[in-house]
Amino acid sequence: MEFADKVVVVTGAGSGMGRAMVSEFIARGARVAALGRTLEKVEESVRLAGDPEKGKAFSVNVATESDVVRVIDEIIALWGRVDVLVNNAGVLDSYEPAHTVSLDAWQEVIAINLTGPFLMSKYVIPQMLEQGKGTIINIASLSSFSAAGGGSAYTASKHGVLGLTRQLCFEYGAKGIRVNAICPGATATPMALHGGTTEALPDMASGVMKTPAQRWCKPEEVARLTAFLAGGDADFVHGSAFVIDGGWLTAAREAF
Ligand SMILES: NC(=O)c1ccc[n+]([C@@H]2O[C@H](COP(=O)([O-])OP(=O)(O)OC[C@H]3O[C@@H](n4cnc5c(N)ncnc54)[C@H](O)[C@@H]3O)[C@@H](O)[C@H]2O)c1
Protein backbone atom coordinates (compact mmCIF):
# COMPACT_ATOMS: atom_id res chain seq x y z
CA MET A 1 0.00 0.00 0.00
CA GLU A 2 2.99 2.23 -0.63
CA PHE A 3 0.96 4.46 -2.95
CA ALA A 4 -2.12 4.73 -0.72
CA ASP A 5 -2.25 8.54 -0.76
CA LYS A 6 -0.81 8.94 -4.25
CA VAL A 7 -2.32 9.90 -7.59
CA VAL A 8 -0.75 8.22 -10.62
CA VAL A 9 -1.35 9.20 -14.27
CA VAL A 10 -0.61 6.58 -16.93
CA THR A 11 -0.86 7.35 -20.65
CA GLY A 12 -1.46 4.65 -23.26
CA ALA A 13 -3.31 2.76 -20.54
CA GLY A 14 -5.68 0.85 -22.80
CA SER A 15 -3.35 -2.06 -23.60
CA GLY A 16 0.07 -3.61 -23.11
CA MET A 17 2.41 -2.09 -20.53
CA GLY A 18 0.00 0.75 -19.70
CA ARG A 19 -2.77 -1.70 -18.82
CA ALA A 20 -0.34 -3.64 -16.59
CA MET A 21 0.70 -0.37 -14.89
CA VAL A 22 -2.92 0.48 -14.06
CA SER A 23 -3.26 -2.87 -12.26
CA GLU A 24 0.14 -2.59 -10.56
CA PHE A 25 -0.43 0.88 -9.11
CA ILE A 26 -4.01 0.15 -8.04
CA ALA A 27 -2.81 -3.04 -6.31
CA ARG A 28 -0.29 -0.86 -4.44
CA GLY A 29 -3.07 1.44 -3.24
CA ALA A 30 -2.83 4.37 -5.69
CA ARG A 31 -5.63 6.23 -7.37
CA VAL A 32 -4.90 5.87 -11.07
CA ALA A 33 -5.94 8.09 -13.97
CA ALA A 34 -5.84 5.78 -16.98
CA LEU A 35 -5.46 7.79 -20.19
CA GLY A 36 -5.88 6.50 -23.71
CA ARG A 37 -7.32 7.36 -27.07
CA THR A 38 -10.18 4.84 -26.90
CA LEU A 39 -12.29 5.27 -23.77
CA GLU A 40 -13.65 1.70 -23.81
CA LYS A 41 -10.12 0.26 -23.76
CA VAL A 42 -9.00 2.34 -20.78
CA GLU A 43 -12.27 1.61 -18.98
CA GLU A 44 -11.53 -2.08 -19.49
CA SER A 45 -8.03 -1.61 -17.99
CA VAL A 46 -9.59 -0.01 -14.89
CA ARG A 47 -12.16 -2.82 -14.67
CA LEU A 48 -9.47 -5.51 -14.96
CA ALA A 49 -7.51 -3.87 -12.12
CA GLY A 50 -10.19 -5.20 -9.81
CA ASP A 51 -10.84 -2.08 -7.68
CA PRO A 52 -12.82 0.26 -9.94
CA GLU A 53 -13.19 2.89 -7.21
CA LYS A 54 -9.45 3.50 -7.41
CA GLY A 55 -9.25 4.12 -11.15
CA LYS A 56 -10.75 6.55 -13.60
CA ALA A 57 -10.55 6.32 -17.37
CA PHE A 58 -10.02 9.39 -19.53
CA SER A 59 -10.08 9.72 -23.31
CA VAL A 60 -7.10 11.77 -24.51
CA ASN A 61 -4.80 12.13 -27.48
CA VAL A 62 -1.45 12.95 -25.86
CA ALA A 63 -0.34 14.79 -29.02
CA THR A 64 -3.21 17.31 -28.79
CA GLU A 65 -2.48 20.17 -26.43
CA SER A 66 -6.13 21.00 -25.68
CA ASP A 67 -6.80 17.34 -24.75
CA VAL A 68 -3.82 17.29 -22.41
CA VAL A 69 -4.80 20.57 -20.71
CA ARG A 70 -8.38 19.36 -20.26
CA VAL A 71 -7.47 15.98 -18.82
CA ILE A 72 -4.88 17.32 -16.36
CA ASP A 73 -7.42 19.90 -15.16
CA GLU A 74 -10.02 17.13 -14.72
CA ILE A 75 -7.63 14.93 -12.74
CA ILE A 76 -6.60 17.78 -10.43
CA ALA A 77 -10.25 18.79 -9.97
CA LEU A 78 -11.08 15.18 -9.06
CA TRP A 79 -8.17 14.20 -6.81
CA GLY A 80 -6.33 17.45 -6.08
CA ARG A 81 -2.81 16.28 -6.95
CA VAL A 82 -0.55 14.32 -9.29
CA ASP A 83 2.31 12.37 -7.70
CA VAL A 84 3.40 10.16 -10.59
CA LEU A 85 3.22 10.68 -14.34
CA VAL A 86 4.05 7.74 -16.58
CA ASN A 87 4.48 8.78 -20.21
CA ASN A 88 3.86 5.38 -21.75
CA ALA A 89 1.72 6.04 -24.86
CA GLY A 90 3.56 5.33 -28.08
CA VAL A 91 3.30 4.02 -31.63
CA LEU A 92 5.65 2.21 -33.92
CA ASP A 93 6.33 3.51 -37.41
CA SER A 94 6.34 1.72 -40.76
CA TYR A 95 10.04 0.63 -40.69
CA GLU A 96 10.44 2.25 -44.13
CA PRO A 97 13.83 3.64 -45.13
CA ALA A 98 13.99 7.41 -44.48
CA HIS A 99 13.88 8.47 -48.13
CA THR A 100 10.43 6.93 -48.62
CA VAL A 101 8.82 8.12 -45.39
CA SER A 102 6.20 10.85 -45.88
CA LEU A 103 6.44 13.99 -43.79
CA ASP A 104 2.97 13.28 -42.37
CA ALA A 105 4.01 9.82 -41.21
CA TRP A 106 7.20 11.21 -39.62
CA GLN A 107 5.29 13.97 -37.85
CA GLU A 108 2.61 11.67 -36.48
CA VAL A 109 5.15 9.41 -34.76
CA ILE A 110 7.16 12.35 -33.38
CA ALA A 111 3.92 13.99 -32.19
CA ILE A 112 2.77 10.96 -30.21
CA ASN A 113 6.09 9.57 -28.97
CA LEU A 114 7.99 12.79 -28.21
CA THR A 115 5.63 15.78 -28.20
CA GLY A 116 3.13 13.74 -26.15
CA PRO A 117 5.52 13.22 -23.19
CA PHE A 118 6.58 16.88 -23.49
CA LEU A 119 2.98 18.14 -23.34
CA MET A 120 1.97 15.82 -20.50
CA SER A 121 5.05 16.89 -18.51
CA LYS A 122 4.56 20.57 -19.30
CA TYR A 123 1.05 20.55 -17.83
CA VAL A 124 1.71 18.22 -14.86
CA ILE A 125 4.93 19.91 -13.68
CA PRO A 126 3.25 23.08 -12.30
CA GLN A 127 1.13 20.87 -10.00
CA MET A 128 4.20 18.91 -8.90
CA LEU A 129 6.10 22.14 -8.24
CA GLU A 130 3.22 23.34 -6.09
CA GLN A 131 3.35 20.05 -4.16
CA GLY A 132 7.16 20.30 -3.92
CA LYS A 133 7.35 16.65 -5.01
CA GLY A 134 6.55 14.36 -7.89
CA THR A 135 8.05 11.88 -10.30
CA ILE A 136 7.91 11.40 -14.06
CA ILE A 137 8.76 8.13 -15.77
CA ASN A 138 9.12 8.08 -19.54
CA ILE A 139 8.82 4.79 -21.36
CA ALA A 140 11.63 4.97 -23.88
CA SER A 141 13.11 1.91 -25.65
CA LEU A 142 16.26 0.11 -26.73
CA SER A 143 15.64 2.38 -29.74
CA SER A 144 16.82 5.21 -27.47
CA PHE A 145 20.34 3.76 -27.87
CA SER A 146 20.48 1.94 -31.17
CA ALA A 147 18.98 1.75 -34.66
CA ALA A 148 16.78 -0.86 -36.31
CA GLY A 149 14.11 -1.26 -33.60
CA GLY A 150 11.84 0.72 -35.92
CA GLY A 151 12.25 3.21 -38.73
CA SER A 152 13.82 6.67 -38.51
CA ALA A 153 10.85 8.35 -36.84
CA TYR A 154 10.53 5.73 -34.08
CA THR A 155 14.27 5.65 -33.40
CA ALA A 156 14.57 9.44 -33.43
CA SER A 157 11.51 9.84 -31.20
CA LYS A 158 12.85 7.37 -28.62
CA HIS A 159 16.31 8.99 -28.63
CA GLY A 160 14.42 12.24 -28.07
CA VAL A 161 12.50 10.81 -25.11
CA LEU A 162 15.80 10.09 -23.40
CA GLY A 163 16.97 13.65 -24.11
CA LEU A 164 13.72 15.01 -22.70
CA THR A 165 14.17 12.84 -19.59
CA ARG A 166 17.66 14.22 -18.99
CA GLN A 167 16.67 17.84 -19.59
CA LEU A 168 13.68 17.59 -17.23
CA CYS A 169 15.97 16.02 -14.62
CA PHE A 170 18.33 18.99 -15.02
CA GLU A 171 15.55 21.57 -14.79
CA TYR A 172 13.40 20.07 -12.01
CA GLY A 173 15.44 17.54 -10.02
CA ALA A 174 16.49 20.08 -7.41
CA LYS A 175 12.86 21.22 -7.15
CA GLY A 176 11.59 17.87 -5.92
CA ILE A 177 10.69 16.21 -9.24
CA ARG A 178 12.54 13.02 -10.09
CA VAL A 179 12.56 12.14 -13.79
CA ASN A 180 13.71 8.79 -15.17
CA ALA A 181 13.28 6.62 -18.25
CA ILE A 182 12.66 2.92 -18.72
CA CYS A 183 14.02 1.31 -21.87
CA PRO A 184 12.29 -2.00 -22.53
CA GLY A 185 13.40 -4.58 -25.02
CA ALA A 186 10.98 -6.85 -26.85
CA THR A 187 7.88 -6.99 -24.68
CA ALA A 188 4.85 -9.17 -25.33
CA THR A 189 2.26 -6.47 -26.04
CA PRO A 190 -0.02 -5.75 -29.01
CA MET A 191 2.67 -3.39 -30.38
CA ALA A 192 5.46 -5.94 -30.60
CA LEU A 193 3.79 -9.28 -31.17
CA HIS A 194 3.57 -10.25 -34.81
CA GLY A 195 0.33 -9.12 -36.38
CA GLY A 196 0.36 -6.22 -33.91
CA THR A 197 -0.12 -2.50 -34.46
CA THR A 198 1.90 -2.19 -37.69
CA GLU A 199 1.90 -4.59 -40.61
CA ALA A 200 5.57 -3.81 -41.26
CA LEU A 201 6.69 -5.28 -37.95
CA PRO A 202 9.41 -7.88 -38.41
CA ASP A 203 8.98 -11.14 -36.55
CA MET A 204 11.08 -10.61 -33.43
CA ALA A 205 10.54 -14.06 -31.97
CA SER A 206 13.81 -15.56 -33.19
CA GLY A 207 15.80 -12.55 -31.94
CA VAL A 208 14.08 -12.81 -28.58
CA MET A 209 15.18 -16.44 -28.24
CA LYS A 210 18.80 -15.42 -28.84
CA THR A 211 18.96 -12.99 -25.90
CA PRO A 212 20.44 -14.18 -22.59
CA ALA A 213 16.91 -14.34 -21.11
CA GLN A 214 15.60 -16.29 -24.13
CA ARG A 215 12.06 -14.98 -23.75
CA TRP A 216 9.86 -11.92 -24.20
CA CYS A 217 9.60 -9.35 -21.43
CA LYS A 218 6.19 -9.43 -19.75
CA PRO A 219 4.32 -6.10 -19.54
CA GLU A 220 3.89 -6.77 -15.81
CA GLU A 221 7.68 -6.75 -15.40
CA VAL A 222 7.87 -3.25 -16.89
CA ALA A 223 4.97 -2.23 -14.63
CA ARG A 224 6.83 -3.44 -11.52
CA LEU A 225 9.99 -1.55 -12.53
CA THR A 226 7.82 1.55 -13.08
CA ALA A 227 6.35 1.19 -9.58
CA PHE A 228 9.84 0.78 -8.10
CA LEU A 229 11.07 3.95 -9.83
CA ALA A 230 7.96 5.85 -8.71
CA GLY A 231 8.38 4.82 -5.09
CA GLY A 232 10.41 5.92 -2.10
CA ASP A 233 13.06 3.20 -2.53
CA ALA A 234 14.15 5.01 -5.70
CA ASP A 235 14.41 8.41 -4.00
CA PHE A 236 18.07 8.78 -5.03
CA VAL A 237 17.45 7.79 -8.65
CA HIS A 238 17.39 10.83 -10.93
CA GLY A 239 17.88 11.08 -14.70
CA SER A 240 18.52 7.38 -15.26
CA ALA A 241 17.64 5.12 -18.17
CA PHE A 242 16.73 1.68 -16.87
CA VAL A 243 17.19 -1.02 -19.49
CA ILE A 244 14.88 -4.04 -19.09
CA ASP A 245 15.60 -6.22 -22.09
CA GLY A 246 16.73 -9.70 -21.07
CA GLY A 247 20.26 -8.72 -22.09
CA TRP A 248 19.44 -7.87 -25.71
CA LEU A 249 21.41 -4.59 -25.84
CA THR A 250 24.44 -6.07 -24.12
CA ALA A 251 24.63 -9.53 -25.55
CA ALA A 252 22.26 -9.98 -28.46
CA ARG A 253 23.17 -12.49 -31.11
CA GLU A 254 20.72 -10.88 -33.54
CA ALA A 255 19.89 -7.23 -34.23
CA PHE A 256 16.28 -6.04 -34.06
N1 LIG B 1 6.43 -3.72 -26.81
C1 LIG B 1 7.71 -3.50 -26.98
O1 LIG B 1 8.48 -4.39 -27.37
C2 LIG B 1 8.31 -2.15 -26.64
C3 LIG B 1 9.69 -2.04 -26.54
C4 LIG B 1 10.25 -0.82 -26.19
C5 LIG B 1 9.43 0.26 -25.93
N2 LIG B 1 8.07 0.15 -26.03
C6 LIG B 1 7.27 1.32 -25.70
O2 LIG B 1 6.40 0.98 -24.65
C7 LIG B 1 5.27 1.85 -24.66
C8 LIG B 1 4.01 1.03 -24.48
O3 LIG B 1 3.80 0.24 -25.64
P1 LIG B 1 3.21 -1.25 -25.61
O4 LIG B 1 4.29 -2.14 -25.99
O5 LIG B 1 2.48 -1.48 -24.33
O6 LIG B 1 2.22 -1.19 -26.86
P2 LIG B 1 0.66 -0.97 -26.99
O7 LIG B 1 0.41 -0.69 -28.43
O8 LIG B 1 -0.07 -2.09 -26.35
O9 LIG B 1 0.41 0.33 -26.10
C9 LIG B 1 0.55 1.64 -26.55
C10 LIG B 1 -0.70 2.39 -26.14
O10 LIG B 1 -0.55 3.79 -26.46
C11 LIG B 1 -1.81 4.23 -26.93
N3 LIG B 1 -1.64 5.43 -27.75
C12 LIG B 1 -1.09 5.51 -28.99
N4 LIG B 1 -1.16 6.77 -29.43
C13 LIG B 1 -1.77 7.50 -28.45
C14 LIG B 1 -2.12 8.86 -28.33
N5 LIG B 1 -1.89 9.74 -29.32
N6 LIG B 1 -2.71 9.27 -27.18
C15 LIG B 1 -2.97 8.40 -26.20
N7 LIG B 1 -2.66 7.09 -26.26
C16 LIG B 1 -2.07 6.66 -27.38
C17 LIG B 1 -2.34 3.06 -27.76
O11 LIG B 1 -3.74 3.17 -27.96
C18 LIG B 1 -1.94 1.88 -26.88
O12 LIG B 1 -2.97 1.58 -25.93
C19 LIG B 1 5.36 2.63 -25.97
O13 LIG B 1 5.86 3.93 -25.72
C20 LIG B 1 6.35 1.83 -26.79
O14 LIG B 1 7.03 2.61 -27.75
C21 LIG B 1 7.50 -1.03 -26.39
mmCIF file of all heavy atoms in Angstrom, residues 91-98 101-111 113-114 143 150-161:
data_model
loop_
_atom_site.group_PDB
_atom_site.id
_atom_site.type_symbol
_atom_site.label_atom_id
_atom_site.label_comp_id
_atom_site.label_asym_id
_atom_site.label_seq_id
_atom_site.Cartn_x
_atom_site.Cartn_y
_atom_site.Cartn_z
ATOM 1 N N VAL A 91 3.622 4.785 -30.406
ATOM 2 C CA VAL A 91 3.299 4.017 -31.625
ATOM 3 C C VAL A 91 4.590 3.664 -32.349
ATOM 4 O O VAL A 91 5.572 4.399 -32.296
ATOM 5 C CB VAL A 91 2.386 4.816 -32.585
ATOM 6 C CG1 VAL A 91 0.971 4.920 -32.037
ATOM 7 C CG2 VAL A 91 2.955 6.204 -32.886
ATOM 8 N N LEU A 92 4.545 2.558 -33.024
ATOM 9 C CA LEU A 92 5.648 2.205 -33.924
ATOM 10 C C LEU A 92 5.455 2.922 -35.258
ATOM 11 O O LEU A 92 4.361 3.403 -35.556
ATOM 12 C CB LEU A 92 5.640 0.694 -34.177
ATOM 13 C CG LEU A 92 6.580 -0.169 -33.334
ATOM 14 C CD1 LEU A 92 6.340 -1.637 -33.696
ATOM 15 C CD2 LEU A 92 8.040 0.201 -33.552
ATOM 16 N N ASP A 93 6.487 2.963 -36.059
ATOM 17 C CA ASP A 93 6.326 3.510 -37.408
ATOM 18 C C ASP A 93 6.312 2.368 -38.419
ATOM 19 O O ASP A 93 6.170 1.190 -38.057
ATOM 20 C CB ASP A 93 7.401 4.562 -37.709
ATOM 21 C CG ASP A 93 8.813 3.990 -37.635
ATOM 22 O OD1 ASP A 93 8.962 2.751 -37.621
ATOM 23 O OD2 ASP A 93 9.764 4.777 -37.591
ATOM 24 N N SER A 94 6.510 2.708 -39.694
ATOM 25 C CA SER A 94 6.342 1.718 -40.763
ATOM 26 C C SER A 94 7.633 0.967 -41.096
ATOM 27 O O SER A 94 7.637 0.106 -41.971
ATOM 28 C CB SER A 94 5.864 2.422 -42.030
ATOM 29 O OG SER A 94 6.871 3.346 -42.423
ATOM 30 N N TYR A 95 8.738 1.269 -40.411
ATOM 31 C CA TYR A 95 10.044 0.633 -40.687
ATOM 32 C C TYR A 95 10.588 0.959 -42.077
ATOM 33 O O TYR A 95 11.553 0.359 -42.511
ATOM 34 C CB TYR A 95 9.976 -0.898 -40.528
ATOM 35 C CG TYR A 95 9.944 -1.408 -39.123
ATOM 36 C CD1 TYR A 95 8.764 -1.387 -38.389
ATOM 37 C CD2 TYR A 95 11.084 -1.932 -38.513
ATOM 38 C CE1 TYR A 95 8.714 -1.864 -37.097
ATOM 39 C CE2 TYR A 95 11.047 -2.406 -37.217
ATOM 40 C CZ TYR A 95 9.859 -2.380 -36.512
ATOM 41 O OH TYR A 95 9.820 -2.858 -35.234
ATOM 42 N N GLU A 96 9.951 1.899 -42.780
ATOM 43 C CA GLU A 96 10.438 2.249 -44.131
ATOM 44 C C GLU A 96 11.782 2.951 -44.052
ATOM 45 O O GLU A 96 12.036 3.673 -43.084
ATOM 46 C CB GLU A 96 9.469 3.242 -44.785
ATOM 47 C CG GLU A 96 8.279 2.641 -45.449
ATOM 48 C CD GLU A 96 7.387 3.760 -45.973
ATOM 49 O OE1 GLU A 96 7.707 4.332 -47.033
ATOM 50 O OE2 GLU A 96 6.391 4.069 -45.307
ATOM 51 N N PRO A 97 12.613 2.821 -45.088
ATOM 52 C CA PRO A 97 13.826 3.645 -45.130
ATOM 53 C C PRO A 97 13.462 5.123 -45.222
ATOM 54 O O PRO A 97 12.424 5.484 -45.793
ATOM 55 C CB PRO A 97 14.548 3.163 -46.394
ATOM 56 C CG PRO A 97 13.568 2.349 -47.150
ATOM 57 C CD PRO A 97 12.479 1.914 -46.224
ATOM 58 N N ALA A 98 14.328 5.986 -44.661
ATOM 59 C CA ALA A 98 13.988 7.406 -44.475
ATOM 60 C C ALA A 98 13.557 8.082 -45.772
ATOM 61 O O ALA A 98 12.646 8.924 -45.765
ATOM 62 C CB ALA A 98 15.178 8.146 -43.866
ATOM 63 N N VAL A 101 9.792 7.765 -46.434
ATOM 64 C CA VAL A 101 8.820 8.116 -45.386
ATOM 65 C C VAL A 101 8.192 9.469 -45.704
ATOM 66 O O VAL A 101 8.899 10.437 -45.991
ATOM 67 C CB VAL A 101 9.515 8.172 -43.995
ATOM 68 C CG1 VAL A 101 8.559 8.692 -42.924
ATOM 69 C CG2 VAL A 101 10.047 6.802 -43.608
ATOM 70 N N SER A 102 6.858 9.559 -45.629
ATOM 71 C CA SER A 102 6.203 10.852 -45.879
ATOM 72 C C SER A 102 6.375 11.739 -44.645
ATOM 73 O O SER A 102 6.516 11.253 -43.521
ATOM 74 C CB SER A 102 4.713 10.643 -46.169
ATOM 75 O OG SER A 102 4.049 10.265 -44.975
ATOM 76 N N LEU A 103 6.320 13.040 -44.884
ATOM 77 C CA LEU A 103 6.442 13.993 -43.787
ATOM 78 C C LEU A 103 5.305 13.791 -42.776
ATOM 79 O O LEU A 103 5.517 13.851 -41.555
ATOM 80 C CB LEU A 103 6.435 15.430 -44.336
ATOM 81 C CG LEU A 103 6.600 16.539 -43.291
ATOM 82 C CD1 LEU A 103 7.895 16.392 -42.505
ATOM 83 C CD2 LEU A 103 6.542 17.905 -43.964
ATOM 84 N N ASP A 104 4.105 13.496 -43.277
ATOM 85 C CA ASP A 104 2.966 13.283 -42.369
ATOM 86 C C ASP A 104 3.226 12.100 -41.439
ATOM 87 O O ASP A 104 2.937 12.153 -40.243
ATOM 88 C CB ASP A 104 1.691 13.000 -43.173
ATOM 89 C CG ASP A 104 1.076 14.279 -43.724
ATOM 90 O OD1 ASP A 104 1.571 15.374 -43.363
ATOM 91 O OD2 ASP A 104 0.123 14.175 -44.518
ATOM 92 N N ALA A 105 3.755 11.016 -42.031
ATOM 93 C CA ALA A 105 4.012 9.815 -41.214
ATOM 94 C C ALA A 105 5.076 10.105 -40.155
ATOM 95 O O ALA A 105 4.948 9.701 -38.993
ATOM 96 C CB ALA A 105 4.454 8.659 -42.116
ATOM 97 N N TRP A 106 6.143 10.803 -40.574
ATOM 98 C CA TRP A 106 7.197 11.206 -39.622
ATOM 99 C C TRP A 106 6.599 12.016 -38.471
ATOM 100 O O TRP A 106 6.815 11.742 -37.286
ATOM 101 C CB TRP A 106 8.270 12.006 -40.372
ATOM 102 C CG TRP A 106 9.200 12.788 -39.493
ATOM 103 C CD1 TRP A 106 9.009 14.066 -39.045
ATOM 104 C CD2 TRP A 106 10.458 12.356 -38.943
ATOM 105 N NE1 TRP A 106 10.064 14.451 -38.262
ATOM 106 C CE2 TRP A 106 10.964 13.431 -38.183
ATOM 107 C CE3 TRP A 106 11.194 11.170 -39.036
ATOM 108 C CZ2 TRP A 106 12.186 13.355 -37.506
ATOM 109 C CZ3 TRP A 106 12.420 11.100 -38.365
ATOM 110 C CH2 TRP A 106 12.897 12.175 -37.605
ATOM 111 N N GLN A 107 5.797 13.047 -38.864
ATOM 112 C CA GLN A 107 5.292 13.970 -37.845
ATOM 113 C C GLN A 107 4.319 13.303 -36.887
ATOM 114 O O GLN A 107 4.268 13.645 -35.705
ATOM 115 C CB GLN A 107 4.651 15.197 -38.518
ATOM 116 C CG GLN A 107 5.751 16.154 -39.001
ATOM 117 C CD GLN A 107 5.242 17.322 -39.819
ATOM 118 O OE1 GLN A 107 4.190 17.248 -40.429
ATOM 119 N NE2 GLN A 107 6.015 18.388 -39.871
ATOM 120 N N GLU A 108 3.570 12.329 -37.374
ATOM 121 C CA GLU A 108 2.612 11.669 -36.482
ATOM 122 C C GLU A 108 3.342 10.904 -35.372
ATOM 123 O O GLU A 108 2.964 10.958 -34.201
ATOM 124 C CB GLU A 108 1.707 10.713 -37.272
ATOM 125 C CG GLU A 108 0.541 10.280 -36.409
ATOM 126 C CD GLU A 108 -0.253 9.106 -36.953
ATOM 127 O OE1 GLU A 108 -0.023 8.740 -38.127
ATOM 128 O OE2 GLU A 108 -1.060 8.555 -36.195
ATOM 129 N N VAL A 109 4.408 10.200 -35.757
ATOM 130 C CA VAL A 109 5.151 9.409 -34.763
ATOM 131 C C VAL A 109 5.860 10.330 -33.758
ATOM 132 O O VAL A 109 5.816 10.105 -32.544
ATOM 133 C CB VAL A 109 6.157 8.463 -35.466
ATOM 134 C CG1 VAL A 109 7.054 7.769 -34.456
ATOM 135 C CG2 VAL A 109 5.398 7.438 -36.304
ATOM 136 N N ILE A 110 6.484 11.389 -34.274
ATOM 137 C CA ILE A 110 7.158 12.350 -33.378
ATOM 138 C C ILE A 110 6.127 12.997 -32.444
ATOM 139 O O ILE A 110 6.373 13.195 -31.248
ATOM 140 C CB ILE A 110 7.911 13.433 -34.191
ATOM 141 C CG1 ILE A 110 9.006 12.791 -35.065
ATOM 142 C CG2 ILE A 110 8.510 14.503 -33.264
ATOM 143 C CD1 ILE A 110 10.165 12.156 -34.351
ATOM 144 N N ALA A 111 4.955 13.318 -32.991
ATOM 145 C CA ALA A 111 3.921 13.992 -32.189
ATOM 146 C C ALA A 111 3.479 13.117 -31.018
ATOM 147 O O ALA A 111 3.333 13.584 -29.887
ATOM 148 C CB ALA A 111 2.725 14.349 -33.070
ATOM 149 N N ASN A 113 5.032 10.156 -29.813
ATOM 150 C CA ASN A 113 6.089 9.571 -28.970
ATOM 151 C C ASN A 113 6.942 10.604 -28.242
ATOM 152 O O ASN A 113 7.483 10.304 -27.172
ATOM 153 C CB ASN A 113 7.029 8.699 -29.829
ATOM 154 C CG ASN A 113 6.363 7.437 -30.326
ATOM 155 O OD1 ASN A 113 5.175 7.234 -30.116
ATOM 156 N ND2 ASN A 113 7.125 6.590 -30.990
ATOM 157 N N LEU A 114 7.090 11.796 -28.823
ATOM 158 C CA LEU A 114 7.986 12.790 -28.210
ATOM 159 C C LEU A 114 7.234 14.038 -27.735
ATOM 160 O O LEU A 114 7.396 14.461 -26.593
ATOM 161 C CB LEU A 114 9.086 13.182 -29.215
ATOM 162 C CG LEU A 114 10.141 14.173 -28.729
ATOM 163 C CD1 LEU A 114 10.809 13.692 -27.439
ATOM 164 C CD2 LEU A 114 11.197 14.393 -29.812
ATOM 165 N N SER A 143 15.476 1.453 -28.610
ATOM 166 C CA SER A 143 15.637 2.379 -29.739
ATOM 167 C C SER A 143 16.054 3.769 -29.278
ATOM 168 O O SER A 143 16.230 4.666 -30.107
ATOM 169 C CB SER A 143 14.342 2.464 -30.547
ATOM 170 O OG SER A 143 14.059 1.216 -31.118
ATOM 171 N N GLY A 150 12.967 0.116 -35.218
ATOM 172 C CA GLY A 150 11.840 0.720 -35.918
ATOM 173 C C GLY A 150 12.425 1.412 -37.129
ATOM 174 O O GLY A 150 13.544 1.096 -37.542
ATOM 175 N N GLY A 151 11.699 2.374 -37.674
ATOM 176 C CA GLY A 151 12.253 3.210 -38.727
ATOM 177 C C GLY A 151 12.833 4.485 -38.118
ATOM 178 O O GLY A 151 12.989 4.584 -36.898
ATOM 179 N N SER A 152 13.132 5.464 -38.993
ATOM 180 C CA SER A 152 13.822 6.665 -38.508
ATOM 181 C C SER A 152 12.977 7.448 -37.516
ATOM 182 O O SER A 152 13.511 7.979 -36.526
ATOM 183 C CB SER A 152 14.216 7.556 -39.693
ATOM 184 O OG SER A 152 13.089 7.800 -40.510
ATOM 185 N N ALA A 153 11.684 7.540 -37.741
ATOM 186 C CA ALA A 153 10.847 8.348 -36.837
ATOM 187 C C ALA A 153 10.790 7.709 -35.451
ATOM 188 O O ALA A 153 10.926 8.389 -34.428
ATOM 189 C CB ALA A 153 9.440 8.492 -37.413
ATOM 190 N N TYR A 154 10.597 6.384 -35.399
ATOM 191 C CA TYR A 154 10.527 5.726 -34.084
ATOM 192 C C TYR A 154 11.852 5.864 -33.343
ATOM 193 O O TYR A 154 11.895 6.242 -32.167
ATOM 194 C CB TYR A 154 10.149 4.246 -34.245
ATOM 195 C CG TYR A 154 9.881 3.564 -32.900
ATOM 196 C CD1 TYR A 154 8.673 3.768 -32.231
ATOM 197 C CD2 TYR A 154 10.825 2.736 -32.314
ATOM 198 C CE1 TYR A 154 8.416 3.162 -31.003
ATOM 199 C CE2 TYR A 154 10.578 2.125 -31.085
ATOM 200 C CZ TYR A 154 9.369 2.340 -30.439
ATOM 201 O OH TYR A 154 9.126 1.738 -29.210
ATOM 202 N N THR A 155 12.956 5.583 -34.050
ATOM 203 C CA THR A 155 14.271 5.649 -33.401
ATOM 204 C C THR A 155 14.576 7.073 -32.944
ATOM 205 O O THR A 155 15.027 7.284 -31.805
ATOM 206 C CB THR A 155 15.361 5.143 -34.374
ATOM 207 O OG1 THR A 155 15.055 3.795 -34.732
ATOM 208 C CG2 THR A 155 16.734 5.194 -33.739
ATOM 209 N N ALA A 156 14.310 8.046 -33.814
ATOM 210 C CA ALA A 156 14.572 9.442 -33.430
ATOM 211 C C ALA A 156 13.686 9.856 -32.260
ATOM 212 O O ALA A 156 14.133 10.534 -31.333
ATOM 213 C CB ALA A 156 14.354 10.363 -34.633
ATOM 214 N N SER A 157 12.428 9.436 -32.283
ATOM 215 C CA SER A 157 11.515 9.837 -31.200
ATOM 216 C C SER A 157 11.976 9.256 -29.869
ATOM 217 O O SER A 157 11.938 9.928 -28.838
ATOM 218 C CB SER A 157 10.076 9.402 -31.502
ATOM 219 O OG SER A 157 9.920 7.993 -31.394
ATOM 220 N N LYS A 158 12.456 8.009 -29.884
ATOM 221 C CA LYS A 158 12.855 7.373 -28.617
ATOM 222 C C LYS A 158 14.210 7.892 -28.134
ATOM 223 O O LYS A 158 14.435 7.977 -26.924
ATOM 224 C CB LYS A 158 12.846 5.856 -28.764
ATOM 225 C CG LYS A 158 11.435 5.271 -28.915
ATOM 226 C CD LYS A 158 10.571 5.553 -27.692
ATOM 227 C CE LYS A 158 9.195 4.895 -27.787
ATOM 228 N NZ LYS A 158 8.369 5.150 -26.592
ATOM 229 N N HIS A 159 15.110 8.262 -29.061
ATOM 230 C CA HIS A 159 16.310 8.986 -28.626
ATOM 231 C C HIS A 159 15.891 10.309 -27.981
ATOM 232 O O HIS A 159 16.444 10.727 -26.957
ATOM 233 C CB HIS A 159 17.240 9.274 -29.814
ATOM 234 C CG HIS A 159 18.189 8.150 -30.161
ATOM 235 N ND1 HIS A 159 17.776 6.916 -30.601
ATOM 236 C CD2 HIS A 159 19.540 8.094 -30.123
ATOM 237 C CE1 HIS A 159 18.829 6.153 -30.825
ATOM 238 N NE2 HIS A 159 19.920 6.839 -30.533
ATOM 239 N N GLY A 160 14.895 10.956 -28.592
ATOM 240 C CA GLY A 160 14.420 12.239 -28.068
ATOM 241 C C GLY A 160 13.821 12.110 -26.683
ATOM 242 O O GLY A 160 13.997 12.977 -25.826
ATOM 243 N N VAL A 161 13.106 11.013 -26.434
ATOM 244 C CA VAL A 161 12.497 10.805 -25.110
ATOM 245 C C VAL A 161 13.573 10.739 -24.030
ATOM 246 O O VAL A 161 13.396 11.250 -22.917
ATOM 247 C CB VAL A 161 11.622 9.531 -25.111
ATOM 248 C CG1 VAL A 161 11.234 9.120 -23.687
ATOM 249 C CG2 VAL A 161 10.374 9.751 -25.947
#
